Amino acid sequence: MATGPARQAPFKARYDNFIGGRFVAPANGRYFENLSPINGRAICQIARSDAKDIEAALDAAHAAKGKWGKTPVAERARILNRIADRMEENLQLLATAETWDNGKPIRESIAADLPLAIDHFRYFASVIRTQEGGVSEIDADTVAYHFHEPLGVVGQIIPWNFPLLMATWKIAPALAAGNCIVLKPAEQTPASIMVWAELVTDILPEGVLNIVNGFGLEAGKPLASSARIAKIAFTGETTTGRLIMQYASENIIPVTLELGGKSPNIFHKDVAAADDDFFDKAIEGFVMFALNQGEVCTCPSRALIHEAIYDRFMERALKRVAAIKQGDPLDPSTMVGAQASSEQKEKILSYFDIARQEGATALAGGRAARMSGDLEGGYYVEPTVLKGHNKMRVFQEEIFGPVVSVATFKDEDEALSIANDTLYGLGAGVWSRDANTCYRFGRAIQAGRVWVNCYHAYPAHAAFGGYKKSGVGRENHLMMLAHYQQTKNMLVSYSPKKLGYF
Amino acid sequence: MADEPVVATKAALALIEEIRAEHPQILFHQSGGCCDGSSPMCYPASEFRIGESDVKLGEIAGVPFYIAGDQYESWKHTQLILDVVPGRGGMFSLDNGRERRFLVRSRLICMPDQERP
């Protein structure tokens, strides 16, 4: 077991809410124990807030919105850049907090989650500086001006799979656009964002960002259903997505939703045409299902492999799966850590049971991973490869674990048909040496993000969002600004002459 | 009887009764997708709008259990067994915060590519 400075969880004993630029105890005085997925033990106490705290946060946000909305974009951008700098200076601390809170391997927190989050703040600092309004010449004397205005106060509900990065995906565009925020972290991962908040308290103007922790039912629901928000953003699952849309319909406000997928990862026959770097990269692309313990909305959880190369491909792929190092998330060499919660682990195991009944074959894994010592009480699942067909439940629902379901196809038509035979359309992967095949598949797959000859890259400036039941909106790109802005059209006549109607 | 589309364990029935003591009229809606996907969400009956395309799988102790119609098509070869495990999640579901939550287990009724008997 790894030892060293990172072994101590970097949390205070207790965290209050962050409201109006201050850390404020929940009105009801209640707290809950935050457990680490690494060992199942309590690492800190977190405010168990309710509607009163949401109202206090909304009060603070509404008090701040006028000034923040009129703050020059150069200043807003400067603040976002300062947040990014502060995060960069404290990358190790934030990454360690993230790993303790979520269970993900520290190498991912350090190399992916934090650098992406930092870059995301810088990206939206730059795009807000360069955003242009519009001037439309209607006729010689009439001009339509289009101004971007903030919505005001927005609500954001954050998932537990990338707590800091997903919070950043929502915070950065909303702040850049001039909105004030009330944010509810997931109760499974409520602590790392509070470490972050302590780091940036002196940078953010009071009330611009307010973080209220607690349970979904007690704190998330009052936020989502509040008549005092101008927009709600949510990442999660479909039934809650529907309920959030329902609340939004009562208040007639826009929503953005990211509700997951069941992403196909398609390996065409020519992938194995040579045993070269490209083939090696494709094998890695297959094993990407295990990244972040599979707790990724775009997990490539359906691998579709041309039948002519199946044996050769899988022989290599299974060796790569067997080489995955699973263990202590704080060990820098660990590749797969712990699932984010015990209930998440239970759900994954329930899908192993379904897979067995449906006749799927476990080519690797298929059970909980037993750990020893301090990790014994953590939530670990073996990286798992299932062989079956697309009508099985394990091909149709996102398991959100380190699990890939593999099927073969005989030709391109069948590959495309299987790929699109899903309720969801968030991500997809296409692997081929032929540019035409890549293009045709890239366009024909009904998903918002198609990775071609790569997977699991999330650079800012590449739009991310779903087709079908995967949601509404596009994050991670300047087009997200449109989801956080109102359009003001000013239609001006420069003619002194009357129309002559009256 | 054995192949009813949805059944419940004793632990699930007990948690339903606990919730009904506070919320007499409730329903379940089976979720899909990421994060808390696959969770059976439990709401006050007046809270969640059941749509035209939702399918009612059955009732558990008088509580209706729904699933989206398209999701039903890919789940219909399995019987859902409502169970309870330790846990906190459930989003806005009424089990949230009780340190026990509903979990759906499944039993195969027919093979996934066959018509349900």
Side-chain angles (χ1 to χ4, degrees):
Chain A
M1 194 177 68
T3 54
R7 201 65 227 174
Q8 183 65 39
F11 301 115
K12 298 199 308 193
R14 173 181 278 192
Y15 287 97
D16 290 321
N17 293 318
F18 181 62
I19 297 174
R22 293 189 308 283
F23 292 87
V24 184
N28 59 27
R30 292 199 296 176
Y31 295 84
F32 67 92
E33 295 288 336
N34 182 32
L35 307 180
S36 174
I38 293 177
N39 53 19
R41 284 204 269 271
I43 41 175
C44 58
Q45 290 190 333
I46 299 286
R48 183 172 171 177
S49 314
D50 58 29
K52 278 187 186 159
D53 306 293
I54 292 292
E55 285 305 313
L58 286 165
D59 288 344
H62 278 277
K65 72 175 181 182
K67 192 173 174 193
W68 180 245
K70 289 191 164 51
T71 299
V73 289
E75 175 61 13
R76 294 209 298 261
R78 194 181 72 85
I79 287 172
L80 293 184
N81 277 323
R82 285 191 68 202
I83 291 172
D85 292 346
R86 189 68 58 84
M87 291 171 75
E88 201 162 53
E89 289 155 13
N90 294 278
L91 192 149
Q92 191 73 36
L93 167 67
L94 289 166
T96 305
E98 192 73 322
T99 286
W100 274 102
D101 211 11
N102 168 275
K104 66 177 64 203
I106 190 78
R107 75 166 190 170
E108 278 174 34
S109 305
I110 290 174
D113 295 54
L114 265 298
L116 285 169
I118 291 162
D119 184 59
H120 209 74
F121 277 105
R122 292 185 175 138
Y123 172 71
F124 276 101
S126 66
V127 296
I128 199 64
R129 290 295 303 274
T130 55
Q131 189 183 34
E132 303 258 17
V135 178
S136 308
E137 189 177 321
I138 306 298
D139 59 40
D141 293 321
T142 314
V143 179
Y145 297 94
H146 293 96
F147 299 92
H148 302 293
E149 295 178 355
L151 295 175
V153 174
V154 300
Q156 302 182 329
I157 297 179
I158 310 302
W160 42 258
N161 57 343
F162 293 86
L164 287 174
L165 183 60
M166 291 300 100
T168 299
W169 277 21
K170 291 186 170 38
I171 293 170
L175 291 185
N179 300 283
C180 293
I181 300 170
V182 178
L183 180 138
K184 215 295 273 174
E187 54 266 53
Q188 289 81 3
T189 53
S192 58
I193 189 89
M194 301 314 292
V195 175
W196 176 88
E198 287 187 327
L199 288 173
V200 301
T201 304
D202 63 309
I203 301 173
L204 280 168
E206 287 177 11
V208 164
L209 172 63
N210 306 277
I211 303 171
V212 181
N213 262 314
F215 296 165
L217 184 61
E218 295 167 352
K221 183 177 156 184
L223 175 61
S225 55
S226 173
R228 299 177 72 199
I229 54 172
K231 180 243 166 76
I232 181 82
F234 171 68
T235 294
E237 33 60 53
T238 56
T239 293
T240 305
R242 275 176 60 170
L243 191 53
I244 282 177
M245 288 186 111
Q246 198 181 300
Y247 295 143
S249 79
E250 291 166 19
N251 293 317
I252 314 187
I253 58 168
V255 296
T256 44
L257 301 171
E258 198 271 80
L259 305 178
K262 187 67 186 175
S263 303
N265 202 9
I266 305 167
F267 298 90
H268 287 281
K269 191 173 165 182
D270 62 1
V271 163
D275 189 356
D276 56 1
D277 280 352
F278 181 80
F279 186 53
D280 190 52
K281 184 186 183 191
I283 296 293
E284 184 189 49
F286 171 90
V287 185
M288 282 291 186
F289 73 88
L291 189 87
N292 206 49
Q293 299 68 247
E295 291 171 351
V296 192
C297 293
T298 38
C299 174
S301 56
R302 291 189 296 149
L304 310 180
I305 301 167
H306 193 286
E307 60 184 17
I309 63 165
Y310 177 79
D311 289 342
R312 187 158 162 241
F313 186 96
M314 286 308 290
E315 185 195 357
R316 188 75 67 92
L318 289 172
K319 278 184 191 160
R320 198 71 67 89
V321 172
I324 291 174
K325 186 181 172 195
Q326 180 168 31
D328 185 354
L330 294 161
D331 180 337
S333 66
T334 293
M335 303 174 194
V336 170
Q339 307 305 138
S341 66
S342 64
E343 57 212 89
Q344 181 57 24
K345 177 182 162 188
E346 284 295 325
K347 182 178 89 179
I348 297 165
L349 298 183
S350 80
Y351 269 103
F352 291 160
D353 178 48
I354 297 170
R356 272 187 287 273
Q357 294 184 58
E358 289 181 318
T361 311
L363 303 178
R367 57 190 178 179
R370 295 183 73 88
M371 297 290 165
S372 58
D374 182 47
L375 308 183
E376 198 175 355
Y379 318 132
Y380 298 85
V381 176
E382 288 184 0
T384 296
V385 181
L386 303 170
K387 173 84 192 300
H389 63 81
N390 202 54
K391 295 297 178 195
M392 293 176 173
R393 287 263 309 271
V394 290
F395 280 78
Q396 287 293 329
E397 273 301 326
E398 191 54 87
I399 298 169
F400 229 51
V403 186
V404 61
S405 303
V406 184
T408 59
F409 63 88
K410 63 180 186 302
D411 56 31
E412 292 192 354
D413 286 347
E414 190 184 22
L416 195 58
S417 157
I418 297 172
N420 284 333
D421 179 17
T422 171
L423 305 180
Y424 307 100
L426 191 60
V430 177
W431 298 81
S432 169
R433 297 169 192 263
D434 181 76
N436 297 338
T437 302
C438 290
Y439 181 77
R440 278 200 311 279
F441 269 74
R443 294 304 299 271
I445 294 170
Q446 292 167 8
R449 161 69 62 83
V450 182
W451 280 281
V452 177
N453 294 332
C454 61
Y455 208 98
H456 269 340
Y458 299 91
H461 208 37
F464 183 89
Y467 283 29
K468 294 152 83 175
K469 284 200 158 176
S470 291
V472 179
R474 292 293 180 272
E475 299 188 275
N476 206 35
H477 188 270
L478 59 89
M479 62 181 75
M480 193 62 188
L481 287 176
H483 295 297
Y484 282 106
Q485 288 177 322
Q486 190 60 270
T487 298
K488 164 64 57 64
N489 167 239
M490 218 166 80
L491 187 57
V492 181
S493 169
Y494 290 101
S495 168
K497 301 288 187 191
K498 66 182 176 187
L499 288 175
Y501 285 169
F502 298 104
Chain B
M1 186 70 184
D3 285 349
E4 281 176 23
V6 59
V7 295
T9 63
K10 279 183 182 167
L13 291 170
L15 185 53
I16 287 173
E17 284 319 304
E18 183 183 318
I19 290 170
R20 274 213 292 210
E22 299 161 33
H23 305 272
Q25 299 294 322
I26 57 174
L27 60 76
F28 284 95
H29 192 276
Q30 175 62 48
S31 193
C34 277
C35 304
D36 249 357
S38 303
S39 296
M41 297 298 185
C42 179
Y43 300 124
S46 59
E47 186 96 2
F48 187 85
R49 185 188 145 83
I50 295 301
E52 291 286 319
S53 61
D54 286 309
V55 172
K56 184 178 172 183
L57 286 183
E59 292 189 359
I60 297 166
V63 177
F65 193 111
Y66 296 91
I67 185 170
D70 47 9
Q71 195 172 342
Y72 171 74
E73 287 302 315
S74 52
W75 285 43
K76 65 185 178 187
H77 61 286
T78 53
Q79 176 187 54
L80 304 189
I81 304 159
L82 189 68
D83 196 8
V84 170
V85 294
R88 184 166 289 161
M91 296 301 302
F92 304 167
S93 180
L94 292 169
D95 53 351
N96 181 238
R98 294 172 193 266
E99 301 305 316
R100 283 161 300 144
R101 70 168 304 173
F102 293 112
L103 173 87
V104 154
R105 302 187 192 281
S106 305
R107 189 177 70 82
L108 208 67
I109 296 173
C110 61
M111 293 312 284
D113 42 5
Q114 291 173 343
E115 280 301 307
R116 189 184 179 120

